[in-house]
Amino acid sequence: MKINIYYGGRGLIGDPTLFVLNKIQEVLHELNVNVERYDLYEFKNSIVTLPQTLKDADGVILATTVEWFGIGGLMQQLLDSCWLYGDKEKLAHIYMCPIVMSTTYGERDALMSLTEAWEILGGCPVTGISGYFEDVAELEQNIGYSRVIEKRTEDLYRAINQRMAVFPCSNQAVKQKVSFTQSLNLTPQEAEQLSELASDDLYVQKQKEDVQELASMYKDWLGVSQEQDAEMFLRDLRGHFHPQPGFQAVYKFNLPEAKLPLIVKVDHTEMECYYGDSDSFDVEMQLSSEVMNEIMQGRMTFQRAFMAGEMKMKGDFKALRTLDMLYVF
């Protein structure tokens, strides 16, 4: 039989949880149990890999100290890693005993949090130990408290050895309904590899740099494509211009994909078009490049695009109607 102990406190002198864990280890060694202990403050940079250590464990002890509120960040990280990367099928057969000592208020709430978390993971929690001690000496000198610790340890040993049944609860249904695997669909082996990579700071940093490089390349390609589209619009406008005698107007096209508006200035038989800005205009239009392409290819007119709601405009409506006469595609 193997039992893993995960301690989420800070390892400070006078921590009552350390005394409880030392007493538990003594009892388990007397029962010839293989015990492996993980002090989480020594695994700050590799907590995401610890779910791998559950592979050959028959039971676990989750121990933490409430110093001001809750189970603490290190223990929460361990539970998060079990949810994200742990083998849920293996966790379903592991018995867990929660140990929470407090030097302030909230040890029972923290004990319940550990129990509920293990149930959501699908595991089998057993009765744990919780208590409040202002001074660890009170715990060390009381024989009755030591007997309670011994009794709870023996209960954990008995539950694992006899594979005692644990009543199902609604918390365990959460794993079936909102399991992380629904979104990633990872096998236990893939989750293990992912946890190893997630704990590798150099690998994570390299991945971030690669993503930034790809994003930059994509922006460059997109910029080239936009420039090509912009030139295409200018060529089409210049090539399909049909002057209207005595007509003058300035059109401003706002294309979301272009950095600057497309300006078209018509002065009798002269026409100028460019990407820039103009202080004054007769008609301002808002449309997408896809709609502009449809118009350039003769499948739609400016006025029909406006009537269909695919283009927004403000200004002289008469000038908008004339636009379809100025450009015949």
Side-chain angles (χ1 to χ4, degrees):
M1 181 186 298
K2 182 181 179 182
I3 295 179
N4 289 353
I5 297 176
Y6 300 91
Y7 167 65
R10 293 190 294 161
L12 301 177
I13 296 176
D15 186 344
T17 305
L18 292 177
F19 173 81
V20 176
L21 291 182
N22 292 334
K23 189 66 177 178
I24 289 175
Q25 286 185 260
E26 290 178 8
V27 176
L28 292 177
H29 286 150
E30 292 176 359
L31 295 171
N32 296 320
V33 175
N34 182 15
V35 179
E36 192 162 356
R37 177 165 158 178
Y38 299 89
D39 293 333
L40 299 186
Y41 61 83
E42 295 181 353
F43 294 84
K44 289 182 178 180
N45 297 325
S46 58
I47 288 181
V48 293
T49 65
L50 291 183
Q52 302 171 28
T53 62
L54 296 170
K55 283 184 174 181
D56 54 353
D58 300 297
V60 300
I61 294 174
L62 300 182
T64 190
T65 305
V66 178
E67 296 186 25
W68 78 282
F69 182 80
I71 62 176
L74 296 176
M75 182 59 68
Q76 186 63 56
Q77 288 183 50
L78 174 64
L79 293 171
D80 289 344
S81 299
C82 289
W83 175 256
L84 297 174
Y85 309 118
D87 185 346
K88 304 299 193 302
E89 294 182 2
K90 176 62 180 176
L91 289 174
H93 303 286
I94 298 179
Y95 290 82
M96 189 278 294
C97 178
I99 306 294
V100 179
M101 295 293 114
S102 171
T103 58
T104 181
Y105 172 80
E107 71 281 355
R108 291 189 177 181
D109 292 338
L111 186 79
M112 184 60 66
S113 295
L114 291 177
T115 300
E116 291 180 351
W118 200 254
E119 288 173 342
I120 293 174
L121 288 170
C124 306
V126 299
T127 304
I129 304 173
S130 66
Y132 163 78
F133 294 95
E134 186 175 356
D135 187 351
V136 69
E138 181 183 356
L139 176 60
E140 295 173 344
Q141 297 170 5
N142 192 308
I143 299 178
Y145 294 151
S146 297
R147 289 177 180 173
V148 172
I149 297 171
E150 294 174 0
K151 178 66 167 60
R152 290 287 186 269
T153 306
E154 291 170 359
D155 289 343
L156 174 62
Y157 174 83
R158 193 175 296 109
I160 298 173
N161 190 48
Q162 300 179 4
R163 308 303 301 176
M164 287 187 176
V166 176
F167 279 98
C169 66
S170 58
N171 288 332
Q172 293 172 334
V174 174
K175 182 174 69 71
Q176 302 172 359
K177 295 183 180 298
V178 295
S179 176
F180 182 79
T181 54
Q182 290 183 358
S183 58
L184 285 186
N185 197 25
L186 298 176
T187 65
Q189 293 76 18
E190 291 170 337
E192 178 179 336
Q193 293 174 1
L194 183 60
S195 68
E196 291 177 347
L197 295 176
S199 66
D200 188 340
D201 293 338
L202 292 178
Y203 175 82
V204 172
Q205 182 62 31
K206 183 64 170 59
Q207 292 300 304
K208 290 181 178 179
E209 293 174 357
D210 290 344
V211 169
Q212 291 177 352
E213 183 178 353
L214 288 173
S216 178
M217 292 172 59
Y218 178 76
K219 288 180 180 178
D220 292 340
W221 294 338
L222 185 60
V224 171
S225 176
Q226 289 172 356
E227 290 177 5
Q228 292 173 347
D229 288 344
E231 288 299 320
M232 180 182 64
F233 293 154
L234 296 180
R235 289 197 303 269
D236 287 341
L237 289 171
R238 291 167 184 154
H240 294 81
F241 177 60
H242 293 264
Q244 299 295 313
F247 180 77
Q248 290 179 303
V250 178
Y251 299 94
K252 180 178 180 180
F253 296 85
N254 293 315
L255 304 169
E257 297 82 0
K259 294 181 179 179
L260 296 173
L262 171 59
I263 304 298
V264 176
K265 294 183 177 181
V266 178
D267 185 5
H268 302 291
T269 60
E270 300 295 326
M271 189 275 292
E272 181 185 8
C273 59
Y274 59 89
Y275 281 89
D277 208 346
S278 177
D279 295 334
S280 61
F281 49 83
D282 298 284
V283 180
E284 182 178 15
M285 289 161 284
Q286 180 83 27
L287 70 164
S288 66
S289 294
E290 289 78 5
V291 175
M292 193 72 165
N293 276 321
E294 290 288 309
I295 295 173
M296 298 293 179
Q297 294 173 15
R299 291 196 289 264
M300 185 177 293
T301 64
F302 289 104
Q303 187 173 354
R304 190 166 58 179
F306 171 72
M307 298 300 292
E310 296 183 3
M311 181 181 75
K312 298 179 181 180
M313 67 83 64
K314 64 179 179 179
D316 188 349
F317 187 73
K318 182 179 179 180
L320 175 65
R321 288 186 297 176
T322 307
L323 190 59
D324 286 320
M325 294 186 287
L326 290 171
Y327 297 98
V328 180
F329 297 102

